[in-house]
Amino acid sequence: AQKVTQAQTEISVVEKEDVTLDCVYETRDTTYYLFWYKQPPSGELVFLIRRNSFDEQNEISGRYSWNFQKSTSSFNFTITASQVVDSAVYFCALSEASYGGATNKLIFGTGTLLAVQP
Amino acid sequence: NAGVTQTPKFQVLKTGQSMTLQCAQDMNHEYMSWYRQDPGMGLRLIHYSVGAGITDQGEVPNGYNVSRSTTEDFPLRLLSAAPSQTSVYFCASSYSTGAAPFEQYFGPGTRLTVT
């Protein structure tokens, strides 16, 4: 069965601290896609990153970076020098597999609430 | 582009009532889907569509109906509302229909309360 686990329910940091949000996934498929979404207090879902299973390069985008490790089935997200505007719920998601390969059907983790205090 | 729009933003229903949540996108995306978000459970897929005239069930389809007569619209119908359907509902659309899924664009959500 496919599954996404975000073990950290809530994290609280002080502004300018670095913070890592953990995501562990389970799948038997060799081709799959992983995503991170941000849900700020306003409630909308904002896409952050998409990664396929063949690309294990880490990615950096400004203060955001992602560490994809197939050996440990993890796709962790780090925010460097956190800011109050980073306060949100962050979701990790895995593309559900089908007979023909990956699909658009997403399996979401339960999310991590990040609170950045000024 | 308006992106993905949903109406209404808030709705209160009594048990047994029916209603339709509207979803529209103007990006010419083939793939559209409905999720529900409940506290502590993340988002769960209700129904999805890979194109006009084609729909299928997701993880939690019971009590919901969908149809897709146009590329732009994907309404979600609650047949007989139950308190267990109290949730926030998100509609999403995506450029691709499978194999190499791209990011999904989400609507602003509909907060539904069933009393």
Side-chain angles (χ1 to χ4, degrees):
Chain A
Q2 294 180 288
K3 189 179 176 183
V4 175
T5 301
Q6 295 181 257
Q8 304 152 308
T9 306
E10 292 185 36
I11 300 176
S12 182
V13 299
V14 177
E15 215 171 12
K16 296 184 184 173
E17 282 186 29
D18 298 347
V19 58
T20 295
L21 309 182
D22 297 332
C23 173
V24 174
Y25 61 92
E26 295 176 31
T27 182
R28 291 181 182 173
D29 298 285
T30 55
T31 302
Y32 52 89
Y33 289 76
L34 293 160
F35 301 81
W36 275 94
Y37 284 86
K38 173 182 179 179
Q39 186 176 43
S42 52
E44 75 273 22
L45 283 147
V46 179
F47 165 78
L48 295 178
I49 190 170
R50 162 186 180 262
R51 172 69 69 203
N52 74 50
S53 52
F54 297 108
D55 183 0
E56 288 194 72
Q57 274 195 325
N58 291 331
E59 178 145 347
I60 298 174
S61 176
R63 296 184 297 106
Y64 294 173
S65 62
W66 289 269
N67 184 346
F68 178 31
Q69 292 201 338
K70 286 177 76 170
S71 60
T72 56
S73 296
S74 65
F75 186 40
N76 296 338
F77 172 31
T78 297
I79 302 174
T80 303
S82 60
Q83 300 176 2
V84 172
V85 293
D86 296 326
S87 297
V89 179
Y90 291 87
F91 290 100
C92 181
L94 167 69
S95 60
E96 187 178 306
S98 75
Y99 207 53
T103 71
N104 268 310
K105 296 159 67 177
L106 295 181
I107 299 164
F108 281 83
T110 52
T112 297
L113 173 61
L114 174 65
V116 182
Q117 311 295 336
Chain B
N1 280 355
V4 180
T5 58
Q6 290 183 238
T7 55
K9 287 191 175 169
F10 302 94
Q11 183 70 50
V12 179
L13 289 178
K14 292 190 187 320
T15 297
Q17 287 184 318
S18 62
M19 80 158 295
T20 299
L21 307 185
Q22 300 292 344
C23 173
Q25 52 93 7
D26 61 359
M27 297 173 282
N28 204 30
H29 286 168
E30 290 296 324
Y31 183 86
M32 295 186 74
S33 57
W34 278 100
Y35 290 86
R36 59 177 289 173
Q37 181 179 15
D38 301 295
M41 300 191 73
L43 282 83
R44 293 179 293 167
L45 182 64
I46 304 171
H47 284 287
Y48 67 98
S49 168
V50 298
I54 307 169
T55 63
D56 206 348
Q57 297 181 350
E59 180 187 354
V60 288
N62 292 342
Y64 307 96
N65 225 344
V66 292
S67 60
R68 183 105 178 262
S69 55
T70 67
T71 299
E72 294 77 20
D73 300 300
F74 191 43
L76 178 72
R77 296 183 191 84
L78 278 70
L79 309 172
S80 177
S84 60
Q85 293 178 303
T86 293
S87 188
V88 180
Y89 291 84
F90 287 97
C91 179
S93 74
S94 176
Y95 165 69
S96 66
T97 56
F102 283 81
E103 68 268 25
Q104 297 195 29
Y105 294 81
F106 284 84
T110 294
R111 186 173 294 273
L112 175 69
T113 302
V114 183
T115 61

